[in-house]
Amino acid sequence: MKILFLNLPYKFEISRASRWPEKTKSGTQYYPYWICYAAGVCMNRGYDVELVDCIAKKMTTEQTVQLVKNSAPDYVMGEITTSTCAHDYEVLTAIKQENPGVKIIVGGTHATVLSEQVLKECMAIDVVARQEYDFTLDEIMKNANDLSKVLGITYRAADGSIIHQPDRPWTEDLDELPMVSKVYEKFLNVNDYCYAFAQKPMVQIFSARGCPFHCNFCSYPESMSGRRFRRRSVKNFVDELEYIHKHMPYIREIFIEDDTFTVDKKRVAEVCDEIKRRGLKLVWSCNTRADTLDYETMAKMKEAGCRLLVVGYESGNQNVLDETRKGIKLEQSEEFAKNTKKLGIKVFGCFMIGLKGDNLETIEDTFRFAKKLYPDMVFFQQAVPFPGTAFYAWAKENGYLRTEDYSKWLNPDGYLDCLVDYPYADHKQIEKIRDNLMSRYYFSFTYIFKTFLANLDWFEFKRVMKGGFTYIWFRIKKIGK
């Protein structure tokens, strides 16, 4: 039995695994890590596996169709997102037309939340594997003649009807997952991927899945990973860090892609202690929350190689934070920022505008707060109403949602449009405010001077310059229009 995993082609370099699937403004390109984990599981189960990142290889639809024809798999597995689904349907339809015998399975955020709609909109798709699908694929192939035995899928029955099976229980023992770094080694070129804020080449891995917090705008806990926080054992996780250290010495940075790596501070401390006990000289970064880290834990992380923390500050107005169910106080963010500066840990601060509770005054509060915290890098972005989130429901209920035609989510340049018109500002005004905030932050003399002094290391300097020039070029093109 052969399964071909595809990161489906697209007309722009887009990161489907990102929580923000668009062409990035700073050159970031994610690994297709969800399909890589599933490919690793299938390899371990003895299936004939091939994995191709069509976006990294800059393949066209026609080239992808030919690839499937040459590969002759029994199954094709890919992911679709809300912002790419219209094009994804075209690609999958072309694959099916040329390869009518192949079974097509899709997963991902959009497919999970709108599984029945996806099957109605694209007749080429046979099965939707909802949520985390690492072990679902094995069951689909073993029960190909009776999919009613498989949990966590929505499928097209022989009579054309659509069957929605109950959810699959979350994978509790994450030590069952393969080392995704080995899958990267086998099928991908690590130089095709980067974070604007990470040293290159880098890899993305999970130490845990699930987020116990309840932010109303975040799509991942509502689709792929759930609210239940599940961990790899300390030994299992550090084994992979050691594997990367010894067998992939060209990797300059490891990014821990957990929704929030620091949910369990005791476990974080144990991971750091184990890294030091093994004598691993690593550089790594992670996603975190400002209220889940104290100074002592942060200091342990720094000693164990932590270079940068990605934190969702979101807003500088407490009422907006409360409306979004962020569950955090401004004072906690201030303390977090103060501790990172004491320890010399870099911070990528994420802020959103157009959240529930926002207005022109609170958006300015957010900018002032960003300047007060002064992260090394910032991202001001309009809130996006991803299907399945409470923010989507709120925008739709109030008549603020501009369109439910997902083919219009990306503008002609591949960037996410603002999809919400607010009483205080329409979508065009929100986009102008967003771009203005970025310019005010990054193009100030103080920021430029401090950034230069803080990045005298050659590798850091190259990273900053590349990201900076990519963003400047984005702004120049936008002004030109």
Side-chain angles (χ1 to χ4, degrees):
M1 188 77 70
K2 182 174 184 179
I3 180 166
L4 172 61
F5 290 85
L6 293 178
N7 185 21
L8 297 170
Y10 199 72
K11 46 196 168 183
F12 301 105
E13 290 185 354
I14 197 166
S15 299
R16 284 191 181 83
S18 168
R19 294 162 181 80
W20 218 267
E22 66 170 350
K23 178 183 176 183
T24 64
K25 304 170 183 70
S26 55
T28 292
Q29 187 64 38
Y30 277 50
Y31 285 84
Y33 47 74
W34 286 105
I35 63 174
C36 287
Y37 273 101
V41 169
C42 289
M43 288 166 62
N44 291 345
R45 297 289 172 96
Y47 293 100
D48 182 4
V49 168
E50 187 176 357
L51 188 153
V52 179
D53 187 340
C54 300
I55 289 180
K57 290 183 176 292
K58 297 180 171 55
M59 294 173 64
T60 63
T61 297
E62 293 73 24
Q63 289 171 325
T64 304
V65 170
Q66 189 60 47
L67 165 69
V68 176
K69 197 168 186 176
N70 294 342
S71 178
D74 299 285
Y75 290 87
V76 165
M77 172 71 206
E79 284 195 344
I80 62 175
T81 69
T82 305
S83 53
T84 65
C85 65
H87 185 267
D88 298 338
Y89 293 162
E90 294 176 7
V91 175
L92 294 170
T93 299
I95 289 173
K96 195 76 161 186
Q97 286 174 344
E98 287 296 315
N99 305 272
V102 72
K103 295 292 185 183
I104 295 179
I105 308 170
V106 298
T109 51
H110 187 81
T112 290
V113 174
L114 299 173
S115 60
E116 294 179 47
Q117 180 178 321
V118 163
L119 285 169
K120 289 175 183 176
E121 291 174 343
C122 184
M123 296 302 293
I125 299 170
D126 297 290
V127 183
V128 170
R130 306 192 309 269
Q131 300 172 326
E132 54 183 15
Y133 50 78
D134 314 271
F135 298 100
T136 308
L137 301 185
D138 178 39
E139 294 183 13
I140 290 172
M141 290 180 278
K142 285 179 176 174
N143 296 280
N145 296 322
D146 186 6
L147 291 177
S148 66
K149 297 178 180 178
V150 184
L151 297 177
I153 65 171
T154 307
Y155 66 96
R156 200 184 309 280
D159 62 1
S161 62
I162 293 173
I163 311 297
H164 187 91
Q165 290 288 86
D167 287 344
R168 180 188 180 90
W170 299 110
T171 301
E172 295 293 339
D173 183 7
L174 294 189
D175 286 3
E176 293 182 25
L177 293 173
M179 288 189 185
V180 75
S181 49
K182 292 184 178 182
V183 180
Y184 298 158
E185 270 191 304
K186 182 175 178 63
F187 294 109
L188 305 177
N189 180 350
V190 299
N191 292 301
D192 287 336
Y193 308 93
C194 69
Y195 263 134
F197 50 73
Q199 298 179 21
K200 186 178 177 179
M202 51 79 72
V203 291
Q204 292 167 281
I205 63 174
F206 281 99
S207 88
R209 286 184 181 172
C211 180
F213 304 102
H214 296 275
C215 307
N216 69 1
F217 51 81
C218 189
S219 66
Y220 257 43
E222 298 293 347
S223 56
M224 298 302 289
S225 56
R227 300 286 180 190
R228 182 176 174 79
F229 185 69
R230 296 155 289 130
R231 313 154 177 82
R232 292 169 68 178
S233 67
V234 170
K235 179 185 181 304
N236 176 271
F237 176 56
V238 180
D239 281 349
E240 182 159 15
L241 297 181
E242 185 169 10
Y243 178 87
I244 295 168
H245 177 65
K246 289 183 176 179
H247 299 277
M248 304 172 73
Y250 44 85
I251 295 298
R252 294 193 58 83
E253 185 157 352
I254 299 166
F255 192 84
I256 302 171
E257 192 55 54
D258 306 3
D259 290 307
T260 308
F261 174 59
T262 54
V263 169
D264 183 343
K265 287 187 290 186
K266 180 175 179 291
R267 174 176 174 269
V268 170
E270 290 172 354
V271 166
C272 294
D273 288 342
E274 185 64 12
I275 289 172
K276 289 192 292 180
R277 189 189 70 77
R278 299 192 193 189
L280 304 180
K281 302 299 181 185
L282 304 173
V283 177
W284 55 275
S285 304
C286 67
N287 294 314
T288 187
R289 280 174 55 105
D291 61 341
T292 59
L293 271 182
D294 53 35
Y295 181 85
E296 291 70 27
T297 308
M298 201 182 287
K300 273 185 173 289
M301 293 167 66
K302 171 73 174 180
E303 291 171 8
C306 181
R307 186 188 71 88
L308 176 139
L309 298 170
V310 180
V311 58
Y313 290 125
E314 318 308 356
S315 177
N317 180 279
Q318 189 61 56
N319 180 62
V320 174
L321 290 175
D322 294 343
E323 288 281 359
T324 61
R325 304 203 302 262
K326 182 70 179 178
I328 195 170
K329 300 296 181 185
L330 293 174
E331 295 77 15
Q332 292 173 307
S333 293
E334 292 175 17
E335 184 68 17
F336 172 89
K338 188 187 304 179
N339 288 339
T340 59
K341 286 178 170 59
K342 282 182 187 175
L343 290 165
I345 297 177
K346 292 184 181 294
V347 173
F348 183 87
C350 301
F351 297 90
M352 283 196 200
I353 63 173
L355 292 165
K356 183 180 179 184
D358 251 335
N359 54 48
L360 296 180
E361 290 75 24
T362 61
I363 289 172
E364 190 61 25
D365 287 343
T366 294
F367 181 75
R368 284 193 291 265
F369 192 62
K371 293 288 282 187
K372 182 178 183 179
L373 300 182
Y374 220 77
D376 299 272
M377 291 148 282
V378 296
F379 185 43
F380 294 98
Q381 183 62 287
Q382 78 274 10
V384 176
F386 290 106
T389 64
F391 180 68
Y392 178 93
W394 171 78
K396 184 174 180 179
E397 180 182 336
N398 285 276
Y400 301 155
L401 194 64
R402 285 179 54 218
T403 179
E404 291 183 83
D405 180 351
Y406 302 124
S407 68
K408 297 178 180 178
W409 269 46
L410 297 180
N411 67 24
D413 294 317
Y415 304 113
L416 275 165
D417 264 335
C418 180
L419 300 160
V420 183
D421 283 326
Y422 301 91
Y424 58 88
D426 66 19
H427 64 283
K428 289 294 185 186
Q429 291 171 305
I430 289 292
E431 289 178 1
K432 287 179 181 177
I433 292 169
R434 174 202 65 199
D435 293 344
N436 184 46
L437 295 181
M438 291 288 284
S439 295
R440 287 167 63 190
Y441 192 91
Y442 276 119
F443 297 153
S444 71
F445 174 78
T446 302
Y447 177 80
I448 293 170
F449 184 69
K450 285 187 175 180
T451 300
F452 175 76
L453 292 180
N455 294 283
L456 295 178
D457 174 83
W458 174 239
F459 289 101
E460 287 284 12
F461 183 76
K462 284 197 300 182
R463 177 191 60 76
V464 170
M465 292 301 290
K466 180 182 177 183
F469 279 121
T470 304
Y471 180 71
I472 289 170
W473 181 240
F474 158 76
R475 290 305 311 276
I476 289 172
K477 287 195 295 183
K478 196 168 176 69
I479 291 170
K481 295 182 178 182

